[in-house]
Amino acid sequence: MIIAIDGPAASGKGTLGKRLAQHLGYAHLDTGLLYRAVARVLLDQETALTDRDAAAHAARTLDVTHLDDARLRGAEMGEAASVISAYQPVRDALLAFQRQFSRQEPGAVLDGRDIGTVVCPDADVKLFVTATPEERARRRHLEILNRGETADYETILADIRRRDERDMNRSTAPLRPAEDALTLDTTQLNAEAAFRAALDLVEAKRR
Ligand code: DC
């Protein structure tokens, strides 16, 4: 069983994917971490993000066993990942690993931008998780405040809009729902309700 979850930045797809995988005993891959890890290599080398060859090389030689670094999760890396993920050779280099990961028994949950459209077009369940930019910014803001850090809501909202714009309008694997994906708009749903709705869909497929 393959569950593909796509959606824009801060839509809650990662939290949902993790929870579904835990509940079902499936493997989980947050594919955004792969792009973030490629971006980290370039930033560490002080190589410009516009250097496509260096980005492709970093993707081809990426050590996928080191994706649990807290630094990968920050806003700086998300922004940088959004830039280098628009390069086709970078995407090509990361494809085989993602497909191989998806073929695990008893199942795998992958979340990202192009899982239902490109990586796993034959996934058993496809979800497109979304929420308004304002709601996503509100959640991200709250998350940062809850960690005891400070952040500006308007800056977060502007970041989210810029990332949406780039991820949706790139020529290679743009963010969009697969034709057979179910859209889950979580603007009015909390994490528990989103999980229940997704689980109902998975259970229906498993029957
Ligand atoms: O999901 P995230 O915020 O961690 O992703 C960071 C960036 O990586 C995102 O802005 C676009 C890119 N990405 C992608 O192009 N394809 C994916 N499957 C996952 C992420």
Side-chain angles (χ1 to χ4, degrees), residues 13 31-32 35-36 78 81-82 85 91 112-115 163 167 170:
K13 61 187 186 309
T31 63
Y35 294 93
R36 286 168 182 257
S82 172
S85 66
R91 307 199 71 83
R113 301 288 187 292
D114 63 337
I115 309 303
R163 220 125 62 88
D167 295 349
R170 66 188 181 205

Side-chain angles (χ1 to χ4, degrees), residues 18 111 133 139:
K18 198 168 163 183
D111 68 76
R139 290 179 196 160

Side-chain angles (χ1 to χ4, degrees), residues 28-193:
H28 174 233
L29 180 64
D30 169 355
T31 63
L33 287 177
L34 299 171
Y35 294 93
R36 286 168 182 257
V38 171
R40 177 185 56 189
V41 172
L42 296 190
L43 294 177
D44 282 353
Q45 292 171 346
E46 295 184 16
T47 302
L49 295 172
T50 47
D51 187 334
R52 291 166 177 257
D53 292 338
H57 181 261
R60 282 194 292 269
T61 55
L62 189 69
D63 177 2
V64 293
T65 58
H66 285 89
L67 298 175
D68 54 357
D69 176 353
R71 222 182 108 216
L72 290 183
R73 303 198 178 263
E76 183 201 15
M77 225 52 84
E79 178 67 21
S82 172
V83 175
I84 58 90
S85 66
Y87 305 153
Q88 186 69 55
V90 168
R91 307 199 71 83
D92 292 345
L94 300 175
L95 194 57
F97 171 70
Q98 294 175 82
R99 287 209 172 130
Q100 191 189 1
F101 187 95
S102 74
R103 292 190 200 107
Q104 292 183 57
E105 293 297 337
V109 181
L110 286 84
D111 68 76
R113 301 288 187 292
D114 63 337
I115 309 303
T117 50
V118 177
V119 178
C120 302
D122 298 327
D124 302 278
V125 174
K126 295 185 188 179
L127 291 168
F128 191 80
V129 181
T130 187
T132 60
E134 291 79 8
E135 175 60 16
R136 287 184 276 135
R138 191 190 66 77
R139 290 179 196 160
R140 181 66 35 106
H141 187 221
L142 199 64
E143 202 179 285
I144 297 172
L145 297 187
N146 284 342
R147 283 204 302 263
E149 298 164 21
T150 52
D152 174 46
Y153 170 83
E154 292 299 336
T155 306
I156 296 173
L157 180 58
D159 286 352
I160 282 183
R161 287 193 197 281
R162 194 173 51 245
R163 220 125 62 88
D164 282 1
E165 167 75 19
R166 200 188 285 123
D167 295 349
M168 291 193 293
N169 294 316
R170 66 188 181 205
S171 56
T172 173
L175 168 67
R176 62 175 174 79
E179 271 174 24
D180 49 350
L182 179 95
T183 296
L184 202 59
D185 186 333
T186 67
T187 306
Q188 313 277 354
L189 292 183
N190 62 25
E192 178 64 25

